[in-house]
C-alpha cells in the first residue's frame, strides 16, 4: 500500500451553507469547522478566499477524491530540484506533514489553504520564473508571463492533475535539453569533475609538448572531446578536439590555446551548471508563444537569427552594445514591422551632446558629414556658431546624416519601434565582424549580412526579394518598406543554450548579467547539487 492509498481524510461534517463576504467576516450562519478554518486561513488572500467561496468551500486537496491532486503536487515538489527551483518553498516533507495533519475539520481547513498557497508558489516559479526580471539587473526590460492565480487554480481544479502540473513548465525543446544538461553537469560534479586546471602563461600551438599539453589533453578527455590517449604532444587528434571545444564556446576554432581558450577550458563544472540554471530561469521568463516566425538576437553569442517553426532559417554575425553603462544592449521583445532602405541617421541626443559637441567646441567643422538642424527641421550653417556656449542641456540642434554608403546605419535598418530606440542595421565598419568578441556599438545591433537578412524577410511577400530590394536601394532615396507579415523580435541573453544536435553551447557573460541573476537565485534559495552516479 502506498502513502497515497493509505492517506485517508474524514468526510465533511454537515452540509450547512456558508455565507461570506469576500474579505469580510462570516455572516450569521452555522458553518462547519472545515469551512470556518478555510475562511479564516484565506482571509488576507483575496484570490484564494474568492476561489474557495466560488466553489462552495469544496476542498481541493483534503478529501479522499483529491488523491490525484495530492500525488501530482507531491511528485512535482520532489522534482523541483530538476528545474533549478528553490525546493524549500515547497518542501515535499512539509507537504506530506500537512497531508498527515489534516484530520479534524479545523486542521484540514488550515492545511487546505496552506497547500493552495504552496501550490501557487510552485506554479508561478516553474511557469514564469522565480525572479522578477526587471528588478534583478539593469538592462533586462522584460516582463515574465505571470498567469493570474485565479486562472491557475480554476484550471487545476478542472483538469487532470498530473498532465496539468507537468504542463506548467516551458514545453519547448530548449528547456528540456537544458534540464538534461543540468543533470549531466550534476553527475560530473558528483564524480571527479574535469581534473586539475591547466596552469600556464604560454600559448600552446600544434606540435608543442610537455606537462601543459598533458594537462590540456586530460581536461579534453574528461570533458568528452577526446578519446583516451597517452600522447604528450599537441597532435592532430588533440587539435581537432580543441577546435570542437573552441567552437562550442564561441572562440575562434584555430586550435591555438591562448588566454581566452585557456580561460574557458579552466571553468569548472559548477560554473557551467550556474550558467545552465540561469538559462532555465531565463527560459521561464519567456514561457509564451515567441511566434512561428521570429527574429532572435542572442547578445553574448553575437549572432542574429530568423527562426521558422523552431528551426534557424537564416543567421548572421552581429555587433552589440559595448560594456558601458549607457551602451549595453537591453533585453526585450517587440514586433518588427518595417525596414528603411537608404536610411537617414538621426543622431541620438546622448551621442550628439556627449561625443560630438566636445569635438565641435574644439573645431566647428568637425564631423562635417553630419547636418545641423534647428527646431523647425531647417539646416543650420556652422559658420559663425560658437559651440562653446552650449552644453548637454542647452544644445539646440538635431544632428542628421543623410543616406550614403558611409552612413553610420549603412544602407538599411530594420525597425521594431520601441522606447529604447534599439533596432538592427547595416554598418560601414565591416572589419568588426571579424572579431571574436563583438561588443562595440552604442546599443543597437549591427548585422554583417544585412542585405541577405532583408532578402530573407522579403521572401514572404515577393517572388524576387533581391530584385525588389536592389531597385529601391539604387534610387539612393530613403524608402520605407512595410512587412506584410510583421514578426516578433526577441533580444535575449543566453550564455548557455542548446541546439538540436551537438553539445551545449557556452558564451562569456559579457555584461555580468548572468552573475547577478545567479546571485539573486541563490538568495531566493536555489542550490546547486552534485549527483552521485
Amino acid at each position: 500500500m502506498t502513502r497515497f492509498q493509505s492517506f485517508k481524510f474524514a468526510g465533511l461534517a454537515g452540509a450547512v451553507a456558508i455565507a461570506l463576504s469576500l474579505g469580510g467576516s462570516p455572516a450569521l450562519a452555522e458553518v462547519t469547522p472545515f469551512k470556518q478554518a478555510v475562511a479564516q486561513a484565506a482571509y488576507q488572500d483575496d484570490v484564494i478566499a474568492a476561489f474557495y467561496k466560488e466553489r462552495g468551500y469544496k476542498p481541493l486537496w483534503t478529501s479522499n477524491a483529491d488523491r490525484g491532486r495530492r500525488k501530482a503536487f507531491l511528485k512535482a515538489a520532489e522534482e523541483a530540484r530538476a528545474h533549478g527551483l528553490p525546493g524549500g518553498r515547497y518542501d515535499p516533507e512539509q507537504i506530506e506533514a500537512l497531508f498527515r495533519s489534516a484530520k479534524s475539520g479545523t486542521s484540514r481547513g488550515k492545511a487546505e489553504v496552506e497547500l493552495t498557497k504552496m501550490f501557487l508558489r510552485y506554479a508561478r516559479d516553474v511557469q514564469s520564473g522565480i525572479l522578477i526580471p526587471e528588478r534583478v539587473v539593469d538592462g533586462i526590460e522584460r516582463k515574465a508571463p505571470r498567469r493570474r492565480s485565479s486562472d491557475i487554480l480554476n484550471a487545476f481544479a478542472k483538469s487532470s492533475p498530473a498532465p496539468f502540473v507537468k504542463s506548467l513548465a516551458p514545453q519547448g525543446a530548449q528547456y528540456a535539453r537544458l534540464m538534461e544538461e543540468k543533470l549531466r553537469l550534476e553527475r560530473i560534479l558528483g564524480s571527479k569533475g574535469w581534473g586539475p586546471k591547466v596552469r600556464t602563461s604560454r600559448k600552446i600551438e600544434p606540435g608543442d609538448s610537455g606537462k601543459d599539453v598533458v594537462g590540456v589533453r586530460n581536461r579534453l578527455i574528461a570533458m568528452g572531446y577526446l578519446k583516451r590517449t597517452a600522447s604528450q604532444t599537441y597532435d592532430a587528434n588533440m587539435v581537432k578536439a580543441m577546435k570542437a571545444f573552441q567552437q562550442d564556446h564561441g572562440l575562434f576554432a584555430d586550435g591555438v590555446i591562448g588566454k581566452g581558450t585557456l580561460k574557458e577550458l579552466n571553468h569548472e563544472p559548477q560554473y557551467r551548471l550556474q550558467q545552465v540554471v540561469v538559462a532555465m530561469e531565463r527560459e521561464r521568463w519567456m514561457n509564451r508563444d515567441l511566434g512561428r516566425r521570429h527574429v532572435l538576437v542572442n547578445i553574448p553569442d553575437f549572432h542574429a537569427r530568423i527562426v521558422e517553426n523552431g528551426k534557424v532559417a537564416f543567421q548572421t554575425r552581429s555587433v552589440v552594445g559595448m560594456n558601458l553603462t549607457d551602451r549595453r544592449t537591453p533585453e526585450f521583445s517587440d514586433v518588427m514591422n518595417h525596414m528603411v532602405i537608404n536610411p537617414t541617421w538621426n543622431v541620438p541626443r546622448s551621442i550628439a551632446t556627449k561625443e560630438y559637441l566636445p569635438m565641435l567646441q574644439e573645431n566647428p567643422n568637425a564631423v562635417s558629414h553630419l547636418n545641423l538642424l534647428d527646431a523647425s527641421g531647417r539646416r543650420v550653417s556652422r559658420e559663425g556658431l560658437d559651440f562653446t556656449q552650449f552644453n548637454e542641456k542647452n544644445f539646440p540642434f538635431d544632428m542628421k546624416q543623410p543616406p550614403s554608403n558611409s552612413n553610420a546605419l549603412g544602407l538599411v535598418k530594420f525597425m521594431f519601434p520601441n522606447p529604447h530606440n534599439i533596432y538592427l542595421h547595416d554598418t560601414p565598419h565591416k572589419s568588426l565582424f571579424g572579431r571574436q568578441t563583438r561588443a562595440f556599438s552604442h546599443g543597437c545591433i549591427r548585422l554583417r549580412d544585412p542585405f541577405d537578412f532583408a532578402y530573407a524577410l522579403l521572401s514572404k511577400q515577393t517572388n524576387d526579394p533581391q530584385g525588389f530590394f536592389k531597385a529601391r536601394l539604387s534610387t539612393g532615396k530613403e524608402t520605407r518598406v512595410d512587412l506584410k507579415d510583421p514578426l516578433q523580435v526577441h533580444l535575449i541573453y543566453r550564455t548557455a543554450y542548446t541546439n538540436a544536435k551537438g553539445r551545449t553551447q557556452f558564451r562569456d557573460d559579457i555584461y555580468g548579467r548572468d552573475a547577478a541573476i545567479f546571485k539573486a537565485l541563490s538568495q531566493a534559495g536555489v542550490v546547486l547539487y552534485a549527483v552521485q552516479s
Side-chain angles (χ1 to χ4, degrees), residues 393-510:
K393 293 183 178 180
N394 67 8
F395 186 65
F397 307 114
D398 290 328
M399 302 184 77
K400 293 180 182 288
Q401 183 181 18
S404 69
N405 287 327
S406 60
N407 187 286
L409 305 184
L411 295 172
V412 60
K413 65 178 181 178
F414 305 90
M415 303 301 292
F416 40 107
N418 58 82
H420 316 292
N421 197 29
I422 297 295
Y423 43 88
L424 278 61
H425 65 87
D426 181 19
T427 177
H429 305 294
K430 304 295 186 183
S431 63
L432 295 178
F433 294 107
R435 305 282 188 91
Q436 182 173 281
T437 299
R438 298 187 290 276
F440 299 107
S441 80
H442 286 82
C444 286
I445 295 96
R446 305 174 190 173
L447 304 179
R448 183 182 66 175
D449 305 299
F451 288 9
D452 291 330
F453 188 83
Y455 304 155
L457 294 176
L458 293 170
S459 65
K460 301 299 180 181
Q461 61 192 66
T462 174
N463 292 327
D464 183 15
Q466 188 169 342
F468 178 93
F469 181 88
K470 287 187 174 180
R472 284 146 185 81
L473 182 66
S474 64
T475 66
K477 296 180 180 179
E478 183 170 284
T479 304
R480 170 175 170 145
V481 177
D482 290 329
L483 299 178
K484 291 183 179 179
D485 293 314
L487 65 167
Q488 293 187 59
V489 178
H490 307 289
L491 306 188
I492 67 171
Y493 191 103
R494 297 288 188 280
T495 64
Y497 66 93
T498 69
N499 296 317
K501 297 180 180 179
R503 296 181 178 87
T504 300
Q505 301 289 299
F506 293 102
R507 299 294 183 265
D508 193 25
D509 185 11
I510 58 171

Side-chain angles (χ1 to χ4, degrees), residues 360-372:
L360 291 169
Q361 289 172 337
E362 289 188 10
N363 177 10
N365 294 316
V367 291
S368 58
H369 61 288
L370 300 176
N371 295 332
L372 294 180

Side-chain angles (χ1 to χ4, degrees), residues 285-338:
W285 293 348
M286 296 183 69
N287 186 13
R288 62 181 181 84
D289 183 10
L290 302 183
R292 182 190 63 81
R293 186 169 183 253
H294 61 267
V295 174
L296 194 67
V297 179
N298 188 357
I299 297 167
D301 180 46
F302 308 114
H303 276 82
R305 298 172 174 90
I306 298 176
V307 179
E308 295 184 7
N309 297 317
K311 296 182 179 180
V312 176
F314 176 84
Q315 74 173 17
T316 182
R317 290 187 177 190
S318 65
V319 167
V320 302
M322 61 183 69
N323 188 23
L324 294 174
T325 301
D326 59 345
R327 298 187 184 181
R328 300 182 187 108
T329 300
E331 303 168 46
F332 66 97
S333 295
D334 220 298
V335 177
M336 182 180 291
N337 55 20
H338 72 279

Side-chain angles (χ1 to χ4, degrees), residues 82-118:
H83 293 275
L85 298 178
R89 295 190 185 189
Y90 11 81
D91 178 47
E93 292 185 4
Q94 185 181 355
I95 293 172
E96 287 193 286
L98 283 169
F99 289 158
R100 289 193 298 268
S101 72
K103 296 178 180 179
S104 68
T106 298
S107 62
R108 286 177 56 220
K110 292 179 179 178
E112 182 76 30
V113 173
E114 187 58 35
L115 286 164
T116 297
K117 289 179 179 179
M118 204 177 295

Side-chain angles (χ1 to χ4, degrees), residues 217-237:
R217 178 200 70 190
N218 293 342
R219 203 140 173 105
L220 287 174
I221 291 172
M223 290 179 172
Y225 283 92
L226 182 66
K227 292 182 179 179
R228 289 201 169 275
T229 174
S231 175
Q232 297 185 25
T233 301
Y234 193 32
D235 58 20
N237 288 333

Side-chain angles (χ1 to χ4, degrees), residues 24 52 111 145 266 270 276 300 389 504:
Y52 279 102
N266 280 333
Q270 183 172 351
V276 170
Q389 65 181 309
T504 300

Side-chain angles (χ1 to χ4, degrees), residues 50-60 66 69 112 157:
F51 170 74
Y52 279 102
K53 180 181 178 183
E54 288 170 4
R55 61 190 276 113
Y57 292 89
K58 180 182 177 182
L60 188 67
D66 299 326
R69 278 192 278 270
E112 182 76 30

